[in-house]
Amino acid sequence: MGELNGRIAIVTGGGRGIGFGIAQQLAGAGAEIVIAEFNPALGKEAVDSLTSAGHKASFHEVDVRNAESVEAMAQAVAAQYGHIDILINNAGLAQIGPTETFPLDDWNRQIDVMLNGVFLCMQSVGRVMLRQRKGVILNISSIGGLGAWPMRSAYNAAKAGVISLTENVGTEWARHGVRVVSVAPGVTRTAMLQQMVDEGIASLTQYEKRTPMGRPGEVEEIAKAVQFLVSDRASYITATTLTVDGGWTAWGNLPL
Ligand code: NAI
């Protein structure tokens, strides 16, 4: 019996990368997974992979930027299972560029998916959890939300906003049985990272040098921290962010 047996867990952007890794981890601990994904092909593939490994999972198409789409997903999941125990706000995308010429459409897209999307999912699923007087919401932020990186104003502003939302809503709902926490992953080996490396806008060597542990994180390392935070082992943890970054945030950057 896993520690999350019988729990229903929604993972936004769970079709691939960190979201899919979290879905696999939570499923392995006994949770039933709802992949809430924008891209139906990725969402269905993720569900097939989970179910063929013997886990329970379903796919709900959702665009986290759209309030109606998010509300419909939350209502459908609540009706289908009768309860929602865990929400992982993971959907994201990365666009990089100099602030002075950064297109407003790209700024809006990043804020829309990674900040407004987190807010909308917290609202719709949070209403279900508040009625239950029970639930855990875990938001995926980033080390970019905790420190400055040139060329990443929109991404980092969204991720800093997620940390603030986590603290605000975590304290607001603390007396109502709903915990809200966040994880700030460091550079993590995913398709998003590989794409940035392939496009020449990220350098693995540079990241390795900047990380005290000397390497990027693996998806499973993020997912294990997430499992702990959404489990009852973390029952007194709310309104806070855990860095899972190989020491990145703490390091003042003097040569090791
Ligand atoms: P990814 O690009 O591999 O996966 C993101 C997923 O979100 C995709 O499946 C995509 O279809 C989905 N998605 C995008 N827009 C959506 C929308 N509007 N509605 C629903 N789903 C949508 O990215 P990765 O690397 O797995 O990142 C996941 C999260 O982790 C993101 O929030 C990212 O900012 C964060 N993160 C990633 C790091 C890394 O190094 N890969 C480091 C720190 C944070």
Side-chain angles (χ1 to χ4, degrees):
M1 298 284 271
E3 67 176 350
L4 301 179
N5 247 32
R7 314 257 167 115
I8 305 301
I10 299 174
V11 185
T12 74
R16 70 174 200 185
I18 292 176
F20 181 59
I22 293 171
Q24 285 181 303
Q25 182 76 28
L26 302 190
E32 187 157 344
I33 306 298
V34 177
I35 300 283
E37 173 57 68
F38 178 59
N39 177 327
L42 282 180
K44 286 173 191 156
E45 206 181 301
V47 166
D48 286 349
S49 165
L50 289 167
T51 50
S52 54
H55 303 306
K56 289 187 183 156
S58 63
F59 165 61
H60 280 259
E61 189 171 339
V62 69
D63 182 347
V64 298
R65 297 171 292 185
N66 181 304
E68 282 163 23
S69 167
V70 169
E71 180 63 17
M73 182 271 295
Q75 302 257 355
V77 175
Q80 184 177 345
Y81 298 100
H83 55 107
I84 305 175
D85 306 290
I86 298 164
L87 166 66
I88 310 292
N89 281 313
N90 160 83
L93 76 163
Q95 286 166 294
I96 288 178
T99 305
E100 64 275 21
T101 52
F102 202 71
L104 181 60
D105 281 353
D106 290 349
W107 167 273
N108 286 338
R109 189 173 312 111
Q110 300 235 306
I111 300 293
D112 241 6
V113 173
M114 290 184 293
L115 186 55
N116 296 346
V118 171
F119 168 71
L120 291 172
C121 291
M122 286 177 94
Q123 264 201 324
S124 289
V125 176
R127 283 193 285 261
V128 175
M129 291 179 170
L130 289 168
R131 276 201 301 276
Q132 299 168 173
R133 300 193 66 79
K134 193 170 181 284
V136 190
I137 297 175
L138 186 142
N139 301 321
I140 299 294
S141 178
S142 164
I143 50 174
L146 288 161
W149 295 39
M151 319 285 272
R152 289 164 173 82
S153 301
Y155 184 88
N156 286 6
K159 293 302 192 181
V162 165
I163 290 170
S164 175
L165 254 185
T166 300
E167 291 172 359
N168 282 282
V169 185
T171 51
E172 192 176 328
W173 292 350
R175 289 183 188 222
H176 304 287
V178 179
R179 292 193 296 115
V180 185
V181 289
S182 161
V183 161
V187 175
T188 309
R189 220 186 285 278
T190 65
M192 185 197 266
L193 177 65
Q194 193 54 51
Q195 192 182 328
M196 285 162 59
V197 169
D198 293 346
E199 288 171 6
I201 52 181
S203 148
L204 266 186
T205 320
Q206 204 185 21
Y207 288 150
E208 282 161 5
K209 270 200 193 147
R210 173 62 183 81
T211 309
M213 282 192 178
R215 63 171 178 85
E218 300 297 334
V219 165
E220 307 84 88
E221 294 177 302
I222 311 302
K224 282 178 189 163
V226 168
Q227 180 185 334
F228 163 67
L229 284 171
V230 302
S231 77
D232 295 341
R233 287 179 287 146
S235 56
Y236 199 52
I237 300 178
T238 198
T240 193
T241 295
L242 177 67
T243 55
V244 185
D245 66 356
W248 179 296
T249 304
W251 186 26
N253 217 359
L254 265 182
L256 287 168

